[in-house]
C-alpha cells in the first residue's frame, strides 16, 4: 500500500522488453536505501516488485497487463518517473490509500496557469467516470490529488508549487498520458452495486445464485 506522497524522482536506466513482458531498471537512491528483494515500489503509480538492486538502483519485472494498461510501455532510458516506497505500519497517511493497481491511463487535455498553481484537465474513460467525484481523491502517476472538478469524460486537478516541482506532473504538456488509480472505496461500492445483496425475507424461496445460473 502507498499514500500517494512522492518521495523522489527516479530515472530510467534500462528497459528491456521480451515478448509481452519486460524488465525495468530505475535509479532511485532513496527508494533502495532500505529496500530488499521482494519489496514493493511505486513507479509512476504502478506497484512493482524489486528483483535486483544496487547502491542507487533497482530492477523490477513488468508483466503484460501492466505494460498494456500503463504508460510504462512509453518509457525510455533517461525518462524521469515518480517513486514512492510502500508505506510502513504506523506511517502518517499524508495522501490517501493508494494500491498501485491502476485503472488505466488518461491524456492531458489542457493546462491552465495561475500565479503559483496549475489546473490540469485530463480525459476520463466513461467506465471510470462513476468512480471520480468532485472533491474526491485520485492518484495520477501515483501522486495523491484532490479532484477539483469532473465531467462525464474529463476531470481536473489543481497543482500547488510543491507538486509541480517534486513530481513529473510539473513537466506535462497537452497530449501526454498518465496513469490513474481511482479511489478504492468507490471501486468497492461500484462492485457491490452490481450484485443483489438484499437479504432474503424469512420463508422466502428466493433462488440461490447456482439455481439462477441453472435455469
Amino acid at each position: 500500500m502507498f499514500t500517494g506522497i512522492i518521495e523522489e524522482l527516479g530515472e530510467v536506466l534500462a528497459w528491456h522488453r521480451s515478448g509481452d513482458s519486460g524488465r525495468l531498471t530505475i535509479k532511485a537512491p532513496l527508494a533502495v536505501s532500505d529496500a530488499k528483494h521482494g519489496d514493493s515500489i511505486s513507479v509512476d503509480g504502478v506497484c512493482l516488485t524489486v528483483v535486483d538492486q544496487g547502491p542507487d538502483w533497482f530492477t523490477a519485472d513488468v508483466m503484460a497487463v501492466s505494460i498494456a494498461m500503463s504508460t510504462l510501455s512509453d518509457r525510455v532510458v533517461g525518462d524521469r518517473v515518480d517513486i514512492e516506497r510502500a508505506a510502513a505500519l504506523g506511517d502518517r497517511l499524508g495522501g490517501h490509500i493508494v494500491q498501485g493497481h491502476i485503472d488505466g491511463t488518461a491524456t492531458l487535455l489542457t493546462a491552465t496557469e495561475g500565479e503559483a498553481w496549475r489546473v490540469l484537465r485530463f480525459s476520463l474513460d466513461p467506465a471510470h467516470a462513476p468512480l471520480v467525484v468532485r472533491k474526491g481523491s485520485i492518484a495520477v502517476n501515483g501522486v495523491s490529488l484532490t479532484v477539483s472538478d469532473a465531467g462525464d469524460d474529463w476531470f481536473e486537478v489543481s497543482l500547488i508549487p510543491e507538486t509541480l516541482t517534486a513530481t513529473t506532473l510539473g513537466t506535462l504538456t497537452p497530449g501526454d498520458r498518465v496513469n490513474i488509480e481511482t479511489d478504492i472505496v468507490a471501486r468497492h461500492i461500484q462492485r457491490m452495486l452490481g450484485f443483489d445483496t438484499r437479504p432474503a425475507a424469512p420463508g422466502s424461496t428466493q433462488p440461490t445464485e447456482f439455481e439462477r445460473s441453472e435455469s
Side-chain angles (χ1 to χ4, degrees), residues 63-79:
M63 57 185 177
V65 65
S66 296
I67 293 174
M69 291 186 63
S70 76
T71 61
L72 293 184
S73 60
D74 301 336
R75 299 283 68 85
V76 297
V77 172
D79 278 356

Side-chain angles (χ1 to χ4, degrees), residues 5 16 22 32 49 58 96 109 112 114 130 138 149 164 174 189 194 196:
I5 304 300
H16 299 294
V32 300
T49 300
F58 72 93
H96 70 282
L109 302 175
T112 303
I138 193 167
D149 203 357
L164 291 172
I189 291 175
D196 184 359

Side-chain angles (χ1 to χ4, degrees), residues 109-120:
L109 302 175
T110 61
T112 303
E113 301 288 344
E115 291 183 3
W117 46 267
R118 185 177 302 160
V119 176
L120 302 183

Side-chain angles (χ1 to χ4, degrees), residues 21-52:
S21 62
R23 179 161 282 198
L24 186 64
T25 299
I26 305 289
K27 181 179 180 180
L30 178 61
V32 300
S33 63
D34 61 353
K36 60 183 183 298
H37 186 88
D39 279 356
S40 295
I41 297 178
S42 171
V43 178
D44 274 354
V46 181
C47 179
L48 298 178
T49 300
V50 175
V51 297
D52 194 10

